[in-house]
Structures are given as C-alpha cells and as structure tokens.
C-alpha cells in the first residue's frame, strides 16, 4: 500500500461538511505553506457565512453550499479530491479512495458526519431526511401525498410538521411531549397552539444561493449552477451527502396534494413496531395508523442518548484499532484525537470523551460541528508546531440558538436539567403566544459563572441578550 501512494499530504481532512471545511480553513490560515487535502464524497462543500458572535459562547451563522473551487481559490495550498474514502491504513498513514487512488498523510482528521437511523431500508414509502437529495425527494413525494406519518421527535421533525401544508400529518412521538430533545413538557405546551394557528407571513425569501451539479460533459469538469430551486442532478442518492443546514426547507415546497393549511394529529408515546404494505394494511387491526397509498416520511428516531444519527465510521474501521463510544462515534480526547496515532475526528462522526464541563454536553448540531472542526484544526497545527494547546472555552458552556415554530429558541448549559439529579429547581416565566423563559437552579444557583471570570463585567456581554 505504502508504495502505491500517489502523494503524501501534511494534512488530510475527510468530509466536506461544516466540521471538515472549518478544519481546512483553520489549518490553511494557521499554516499557509502546508499541503492540505480535503477528500469529500459530496460534490459541494458547506461553508459558514454571516458568522455573528452573540456572546462569549453563543454564536449564530448561516451555512452555504458552495463549489469546492471557492475554497481552493482562497487557499492555494489546498487540493480538493472528490471521492469517498474506502479504507484507511493507520499503520502506513495512508488511505484509499473509491476511485482506486492512495494518499499518504502526516496528520488526518475524519469529519465524515453521520447518517439518519432509518426505521427500515427496504420500504419504498419510508424516507429519511439528511441531505439536499433526500429533502428534494421528500418534496416530490409530498406533492402526491394526502397523508404522511412523521416519526421522530428531534429538531427536523419539529420543523417538518410545522412547515408541511396541504396534507394530513400524523406525528408519532415516543415521548409524552413533543421536542423533548430540546425542551420540557411545559415549553411543548407553549408551542403546540402554533400548530393550529396560521403561519405568520414569511420574511423576504432567502437570497442565499444553493449550488447544483450537472453531469460533467465527457472529459469536462462539473459545472455549478447557482439556482436554489433547481433539482440536483448527477449525484446518486446513495452518495454520502453533507447534512442539511438550519434553513433546509427554504426553497423546498413542502406542499401535499391538497389545498388548505396544516392538519396535524399527535400520537404520543407511540413507537413504530411494524410498517405495513397496502395489502397487509387491509388485514391489519383497527388501531393501526393507516397510510393509504401515500408517502410515509420517517425522520430521525431519537433516543435518550443520540439525536438520531449513526456516525459514518464504517470505511475507517477495518484493520484499525479505533475506540468507539456507545453511540458508535469515534472517541476523541480533549485534543480531538482518536485512539489511533495522528488521526483526529470532528463533528457528527465523533464522540467527545474527555471529562465534560458540568455545563456542556455533546449534541450533534451545526454549532458543535463548527466548533469541533475549528478546534481540531488548531490542535493539528499546534501539534506539528510543537505548541501547547488547551481545551477551548466553547466547550465550557453548551449554547445553541435555533427556531422552532417561528419562535427564537436559546438553549444554555443543562437547559433540560440533564444529569443534574433531584437537587434542581425550575423557574418559569410564560406569556402565552409570546415567550417561555426557563431557568434551571442547581443547588439554588442558576449556573456556575466562574468560566466567565472578568468577562462578566465586560460591557459588551449582556446576560440579558440570552433571553431576547
Ligand atoms: P456532515 O455535514 O454530514 O458532512 C459529512 C461530510 O463527509 C459530507 O461532505 C460527506 O459527503 C462526507 N463523507 C462521508 N463519508 C465519507 C467518506 N467515506 N469519504 C469521503 N467523504 C465522506 N443542526 C443544527 O444545529 N441546527 C439545525 O437546524 C439543524 N437542522 C438539521 C436539519 C437536517 C435535515 C439535518 C439532517 C441535520 C440538521 N442539523 C442541524 C444537524 C447538522 O446538520 C449536523 O450536526 C452537522 O451538519 C454535522 O456536520 P459534519 O460536518 O459533522 O457532517
């Protein structure tokens, strides 16, 4: 294998999602002379735009799909290789891609993301949503559907049931309340009336372009078209695409075959046991949820530990000795290093196995993919430059900004009292239709503010901003 190496790079990053691209950007800016390769199975890359630091740990940004040439133009020492990694040989520091090429590395970062846990692979009516292709497939199938069943209780399910119109939605959640990955039953009650009300007028349409790939002309290269509504061609649906962005449904018409607005029925504490075909349905017991000749959309199933994705570790494991976490992720330490020498990992593919700060937990989200990719890049650079590096402040306090049912949602620390035991108290301020503010007191204190140190007095940091 070592002899077949086409080229050895100082750094190879696998994965063109937010973790991989941020890692590339960080490494290339810190060591501009280093040879860096980005190997990615998807034709586009994801980049962070409009980054806004809201407070010391709270950030907001948009994510854009771009052709990889944008990145290569910005960093002349970067080579983007469009292929999937098929196997990794950590002993010889090399990897092989599906098109038969072998590349050597000095340091490698795996940012292969995850894929949704599907209820079943075989049923043509079951669709998992992960990337642009699957979201467009949903649009296509939805246009003919009268009724869909949404299975899942994570962020995507929440957005989907709110956005779909012209189609009956049966929403099966296995918990006692909706959205329990993100909030408690009280907040769920606060949000539910939004499902029955008309949606507010949309803001001006998002002008952010989305790039589509066309089949390359014989002997030619990919052409990229900035057309946010165009269907993507030339990429097979089995290809491992990057996970979608926060505005994944923008530009996609989530309209069923009928007129009218939303009709959502909720089935609580409901787990899918079996999926029937139309024929089987005729003989099925009366309490079965029917889906007569309609699309059945299955989303990430969530459980207590995972947010519904299986880390994409498979191509990297054979013949190597990676320590895996219970959720299937590559275990990484506080320098984003896996158990294999010179191999780092970041984003959805990895599981943070250092001793967590009491106010932080891993959730497979954009914010953390960006933070991990950025920090992995810094660690890789520090290690080759023999510089010391400490765990970044962003891992001190969990923070995430999102939107559910058109409400801005800010989550900080152990926002659901995760792992706090019985010694905690909740203070809630709720104004129907306007705001839901919850504070978790642990041992009578709101949160440990030590990490803020002198920043607490920094006039640019306004604690109240968190609750705006
Ligand atoms: P990904 O973005 O999945 O990228 C993985 C990359 O690795 C891809 O480019 C893929 O092509 C490549 N790859 C995989 N295998 C190989 C291989 N063998 N060889 C080469 N390349 C490979 N998070 C939020 O914070 N807010 C949201 O609102 C939100 N909404 C979401 C909506 C949807 C529909 C989905 C699916 C996810 C959403 N998430 C959201 C989660 C978020 O998208 C992910 O946590 C984040 O994108 C993970 O980034 P990543 O770089 O680790 O992985």
């Amino acid at each position: 294998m070592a002899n077949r190496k086409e080229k050895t790079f100082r750094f190879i990053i696998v994965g063109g999602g937010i973790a991989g691209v941020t890692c590339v950007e960080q490494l290339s800016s810190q060591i501009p002379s280093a040879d860096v390769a980005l190997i990615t199975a998807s034709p586009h890359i994801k980049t962070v735009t409009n980054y806004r630091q809201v407070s010391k740990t709270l950030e907001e940004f948009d994510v854009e799909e771009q052709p990889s040439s944008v990145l290569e133009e910005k960093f002349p020492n970067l080579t983007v290789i469009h292929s999937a990694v098929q196997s990794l040989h950590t002993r010889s520091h090399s990897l092989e891609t599906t098109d038969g090429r072998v590349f050597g590395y000095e340091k490698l970062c795996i940012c292969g993301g995850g894929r949704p846990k599907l209820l079943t692979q075989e049923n043509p009516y079951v669709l998992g949503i992960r990337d642009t292709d699957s979201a467009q497939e949903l649009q296509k199938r939805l246009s003919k559907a009268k009724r869909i069943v949404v299975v899942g209780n994570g962020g995507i399910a929440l957005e989907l049931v709110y956005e779909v119109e012209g189609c009956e939605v049966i929403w099966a959640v296995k918990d006692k309340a909706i959205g329990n990955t993100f909030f408690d039953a009280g907040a769920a009650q606060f949000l539910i009336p939004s499902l029955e009300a008309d949606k507010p007028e949309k803001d001006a349409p998002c002008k952010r372009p989305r790039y589509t790939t066309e089949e390359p002309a014989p002997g030619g290269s990919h052409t990229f078209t900035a057309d946010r509504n165009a269907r993507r061609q030339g990429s097979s649906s089995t290809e491992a695409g990057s996970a979608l962005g926060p505005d994944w449904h923008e530009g996609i018409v989530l309209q069923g075959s009928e007129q009218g607005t939303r009709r959502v029925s909720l089935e609580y504490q409901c787990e899918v046991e079996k999926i029937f075909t139309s024929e089987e349905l005729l003989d099925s017991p009366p309490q079965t949820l029917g889906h007569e000749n309609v699309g059945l959309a299955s989303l990430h199933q969530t459980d207590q530990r995972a947010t519904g994705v299986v880390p994409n570790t498979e191509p990297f494991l054979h013949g190597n000795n990676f320590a895996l976490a219970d959720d299937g992720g590559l275990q990484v330490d506080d320098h984003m290093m896996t158990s294999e020498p010179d191999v780092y990992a970041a984003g959805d593919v990895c599981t943070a196995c250092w001793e967590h700060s009491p106010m932080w937990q891993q959730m497979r989200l954009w914010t953390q993919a960006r933070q991990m990719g950025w920090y992995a890049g810094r660690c890789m650079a520090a290690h080759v430059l023999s510089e010391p590096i400490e765990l970044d402040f962003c891992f001190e306090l969990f923070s995430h900004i999102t939107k559910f049912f058109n409400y801005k949602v800010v989550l900080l620390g152990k926002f659901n009292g995760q792992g706090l035991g019985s010694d905690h108290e909740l203070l809630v301020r709720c104004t129907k239709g306007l705001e839901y503010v919850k504070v978790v007191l642990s041992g009578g204190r709101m949160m440990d503010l030590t990490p803020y140190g002198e920043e607490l007095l920094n006039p640019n940091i306004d604690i109240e901003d968190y609750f705006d």
Side-chain angles (χ1 to χ4, degrees), residues 15-16 18-19 40-42 85 112-113 130 240 242-244 348 364-366 400:
I18 224 58
T40 182
S42 49
V85 173
R130 176 76 188 158
S242 308
L244 287 159
D348 281 7
R364 289 187 162 89
L365 295 165
W366 282 114
H400 185 59

Side-chain angles (χ1 to χ4, degrees), residues 78-387:
L78 172 70
T79 309
V80 180
I81 298 160
H82 286 287
S83 188
V85 173
Q86 179 169 281
S87 57
L88 167 66
H89 310 273
T90 53
R91 238 167 288 145
S92 61
H93 278 50
S94 63
L95 43 79
E96 187 166 1
T97 51
T98 44
D99 55 8
R101 294 191 284 167
V102 178
F103 299 99
Y105 62 83
E106 218 175 283
K107 302 234 176 256
L108 168 74
C109 188
I110 302 175
C111 306
R115 56 179 194 284
K117 279 185 203 161
L118 264 193
L119 291 170
T120 167
Q121 300 286 346
E122 279 116 45
N123 193 313
Y125 289 108
V126 177
L127 181 67
I129 299 170
R130 176 76 188 158
D131 50 20
T132 319
D133 287 315
S134 54
Q136 285 175 340
E137 182 62 25
L138 171 73
Q139 164 174 336
K140 196 171 96 189
R141 297 213 207 160
L142 197 59
S143 65
K144 297 189 199 114
K146 287 192 205 125
R147 182 195 293 161
I148 63 166
V149 179
V150 174
V151 182
N153 202 8
I156 304 160
L158 279 163
E159 286 184 277
L160 190 68
V161 290
Y162 185 71
E163 293 298 330
V164 167
E165 295 191 336
C167 173
E168 185 186 347
V169 178
I170 297 171
W171 185 10
V173 300
K174 73 179 171 59
D175 314 291
K176 287 186 189 150
I178 61 161
N180 81 335
T181 319
F182 290 101
F183 40 76
D184 58 26
Q189 281 311 313
F190 170 81
L191 287 174
I192 286 218
S194 309
L195 279 181
E196 282 137 30
D198 285 343
K199 273 191 269 179
E201 284 287 302
K202 281 234 175 227
D203 294 342
C206 164
K207 293 273 177 5
R208 197 175 321 145
R210 220 161 255 164
Y211 292 84
T212 58
T213 352
E214 281 161 17
E215 200 79 277
S221 57
H222 281 96
T223 28
F224 291 91
T225 326
D227 174 1
R228 63 192 321 280
N229 292 317
R231 263 191 65 75
R232 215 162 108 185
Q233 299 161 10
S235 61
S236 108
S237 57
T238 52
E239 219 171 59
S242 308
L244 287 159
D247 60 352
W248 64 274
H249 45 76
E250 291 285 332
I252 293 180
V253 184
L254 292 173
Q255 172 72 38
S257 64
E258 296 177 336
Q259 291 306 311
T261 53
R262 239 183 284 112
R263 275 177 301 142
V264 182
S265 353
L266 263 155
E267 297 286 338
Y268 291 106
Q269 293 181 284
C270 173
E271 280 190 66
V272 176
E273 230 172 61
K274 186 170 185 311
I275 298 170
F276 295 90
T277 59
S278 311
E279 297 77 45
E280 286 169 328
L281 192 64
L282 295 172
D283 307 323
S284 63
Q287 69 270 30
T288 308
L289 298 177
H291 58 96
E292 308 138 27
N293 201 18
V294 293
L296 174 72
S298 155
L299 291 141
H300 297 184
Q301 261 188 303
T302 56
D303 64 29
Q304 299 306 325
R305 288 164 303 140
T307 50
V309 287
V310 186
N312 264 333
T313 54
E314 207 268 324
F316 309 99
L317 301 183
H318 185 74
N320 302 314
N321 220 353
F322 283 105
L324 294 182
D326 289 348
D327 61 7
L330 297 172
Q331 286 194 15
V332 288
D333 66 11
D334 57 355
H335 283 160
M336 306 308 291
M337 293 195 71
T338 67
S339 54
E340 283 285 2
D342 297 317
V343 184
Y344 300 70
D348 281 7
V349 78
C350 78
T351 305
C353 286
W354 62 82
E355 198 184 321
H356 297 175
S357 133
M359 285 295 145
W360 189 84
Q361 66 249 319
Q362 182 177 5
M363 283 185 89
R364 289 187 162 89
L365 295 165
W366 282 114
T367 340
Q368 293 194 354
R370 196 203 67 80
Q371 290 168 339
M372 286 181 171
W374 173 78
Y375 179 58
R378 282 187 55 213
C379 288
M380 291 164 85
H383 292 162
V384 298
L385 299 170
S386 305
E387 288 172 358

